[in-house]
């Protein structure tokens, strides 16, 4: 079997998960490289194709809206049962 | 708790971490850099076409030394366009509603145009203070007025952008609150208010794009006088 460090997340067994996480690179450079890899995967799959549609960018914007909602939930939740806004 | 209408403009924070940085950096994820292929993907093609159109429009009135400003003016235009448009999505935060950010963009750029003019051609750039052919008795008053108008420019640039976007967002929030509140009391009026809301949203889309253009255009105009 390949060394634990090089296996992808989907191939890691559940018992090995803590040691896999401990071996990952959490330095700023490592995080930047991981973000870059994720961006490249998304870009090459949905945007850099011959006939890309609106879905490629719509997913990014929808994710941005969802994240903004999550970040502002603590502030917005006070408006739920308010009578006069 | 009472200021709910203006709470949307409070700079968002997550356990002390300012989220405004993410609102300002997010547009870069929507701008892929062109790779070395001959035919780029559709998104990049559209963005390159738009950038070329804008840059040609902005740079054609400028002379050769002014073309050094092409990069900063085009990237400023794209930043303002994207941040304004992204702010129209629900629950998002628009960094250009903060006066601090707009003044930070407007003031250094205006100052740079003034300093460029004073350094390279001091008498011509000072000469803009007095329009040609003014009657002699009017000269002192006119110099005061023109100097004031020069000094007001950075403040006007910053405040124009802030006020337009803030007013738009506030109107949208007010109209939508009215629509929902009227739905239980007087449904027919609610439909009218909803139509107003739709028209307002279209206006806001236009304003978002126009304000970005106006900001950069005025800076290029101040540059034309001084370079």
């Amino acid at each position: 079997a390949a060394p634990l460090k090089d296996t992808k997340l989907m191939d890691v067994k559940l018992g090995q998960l803590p040691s896999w996480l401990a071996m990952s690179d959490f330095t700023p450079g490592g995080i930047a490289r991981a973000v870059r890899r994720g961006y490249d995967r998304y870009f090459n799959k949905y945007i850099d194709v011959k006939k890309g549609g609106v879905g490629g960018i719509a997913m990014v914007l929808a994710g941005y809206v969802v994240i903004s909602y999550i970040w502002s939930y603590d502030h917005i939740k006070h408006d739920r049962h308010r009578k006069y806004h | 708790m009472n200021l709910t209408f203006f709470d949307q403009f409070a700079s968002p924070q997550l356990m002390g971490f300012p989220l405004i940085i993410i609102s300002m950096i997010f547009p870069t994820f929507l701008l892929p850099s062109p790779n070395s292929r001959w035919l780029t993907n559709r998104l990049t093609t559209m963005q390159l076409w738009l950038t070329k159109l804008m840059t040609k429009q902005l740079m054609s009135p400028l002379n050769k030394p002014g073309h050094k400003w092409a990069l900063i003016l085009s990237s400023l235009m794209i930043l303002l366009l994207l941040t304004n448009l992204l702010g129209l999505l629900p629950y998002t935060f628009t960094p250009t509603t903060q006066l601090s950010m707009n003044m930070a963009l407007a003031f250094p750029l205006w100052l740079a145009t003034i300093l460029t003019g004073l350094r390279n051609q001091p008498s011509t750039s000072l000469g803009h203070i007095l329009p040609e052919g003014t009657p002699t008795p009017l000269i002192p008053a006119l110099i005061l007025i023109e100097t004031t108008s020069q000094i007001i420019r950075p403040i006007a640039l910053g405040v124009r952008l802030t006020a337009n976007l803030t007013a738009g967002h506030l109107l949208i929030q007010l109209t939508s609150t009215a629509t929902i509140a009227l739905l239980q009391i007087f449904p027919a009026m609610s439909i009218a208010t909803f139509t107003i809301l739709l028209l307002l949203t279209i206006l806001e889309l236009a304003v978002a794009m126009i304000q970005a253009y106006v900001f950069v255009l005025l800076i290029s105009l101040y540059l034309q006088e001084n370079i």
Side-chain angles (χ1 to χ4, degrees):
Chain A
L4 189 55
K5 192 164 188 291
D6 293 332
T7 52
K8 294 202 228 178
L9 182 56
M10 286 296 135
D11 299 328
V12 170
K13 305 275 181 283
L14 202 56
Q16 296 169 317
L17 194 59
S19 35
W20 184 88
L21 279 176
M23 277 198 263
S24 324
D25 186 10
F26 284 119
T27 63
I31 293 189
R33 253 176 274 131
V35 170
R36 186 72 188 163
R37 264 178 295 151
Y39 174 83
D40 283 341
R41 258 174 67 184
Y42 185 87
F43 182 70
N44 287 328
K45 181 167 181 189
Y46 289 110
I47 306 203
D48 202 16
V49 291
K50 224 193 299 194
K51 294 178 71 168
V54 69
I57 203 167
M59 281 195 279
V60 181
L61 294 177
Y64 183 52
V65 170
V66 168
I67 288 189
S68 306
Y69 179 70
I70 294 175
W71 281 339
S72 57
Y73 180 71
D74 270 330
H75 188 84
I76 290 185
K77 70 183 176 197
H78 297 293
D79 288 339
R80 257 185 310 207
H81 303 299
R82 196 189 291 253
K83 185 171 184 209
Y84 297 119
H85 287 263
Chain B
M1 277 307 145
N2 275 336
L3 303 166
T4 25
F5 279 129
F6 282 98
D7 280 348
Q8 59 176 317
F9 301 124
S11 194
Q13 287 199 341
L14 184 65
M15 300 189 286
F17 178 73
L19 294 172
I20 189 172
I21 297 182
I22 304 191
S23 314
M24 283 166 63
I25 293 190
F26 185 69
T28 56
F29 291 137
L30 303 171
L31 296 167
S33 44
N35 49 15
S36 54
R37 296 210 182 112
W38 184 50
L39 284 175
T40 46
N41 54 63
R42 287 178 173 182
L43 184 68
T44 313
T45 314
M46 282 197 294
Q47 286 172 353
L48 285 175
W49 167 81
L50 191 66
T51 315
K52 198 165 150 192
L53 182 73
M54 281 176 347
T55 316
K56 237 163 57 166
Q57 254 271 8
L58 281 173
M59 292 294 128
S60 47
L62 290 174
N63 54 9
K64 204 77 186 314
H67 291 179
K68 280 189 269 193
W69 286 64
L71 182 63
I72 193 169
L73 288 180
S74 331
S75 47
L76 180 65
M77 174 94 186
I78 293 179
L79 170 76
L80 289 176
L81 201 62
L82 281 178
T83 40
N84 291 352
L85 286 174
L86 281 175
L88 287 171
L89 292 170
Y91 298 115
T92 47
F93 180 72
T94 326
T96 34
T97 50
Q98 308 294 309
L99 185 64
S100 51
M101 167 162 164
N102 296 343
M103 288 304 285
L105 286 173
F107 196 86
L109 287 169
W110 165 83
L111 194 61
T113 61
I114 295 288
L115 290 177
T116 317
L118 286 177
R119 183 176 180 267
N120 297 338
Q121 37 177 37
S123 19
T124 321
S125 67
L126 280 176
H128 282 297
I129 293 185
L130 193 62
E132 281 183 32
T134 54
T136 323
L138 272 178
I139 290 185
L142 208 55
I143 289 192
L144 285 172
I145 294 176
E146 287 287 325
T147 318
T148 321
S149 86
Q150 285 278 339
I151 296 184
I152 278 274
R153 276 177 181 179
I155 308 176
L157 269 178
V159 174
R160 181 185 302 115
L161 190 56
T162 314
N164 268 294
L165 284 163
T166 316
H169 283 253
L170 210 57
L171 271 176
I172 287 182
Q173 194 168 15
L174 283 168
T175 329
S176 51
T177 312
T179 316
I180 294 182
L182 279 176
L183 205 53
Q184 281 121 20
I185 306 172
F186 188 2
M189 193 63 203
S190 177
I191 297 181
T193 324
F194 186 65
T195 320
I196 295 182
L197 184 61
L198 280 177
L199 294 174
L200 203 57
T201 314
I202 297 175
L203 176 68
E204 278 315 303
L205 277 169
V207 164
M209 297 189 273
I210 291 172
Q211 285 304 318
Y213 176 63
V214 160
F215 193 90
V216 181
L217 185 69
L218 282 174
I219 292 185
S220 78
L221 280 171
Y222 303 155
L223 189 61
Q224 276 172 48
E225 291 181 353
N226 281 320
I227 200 157

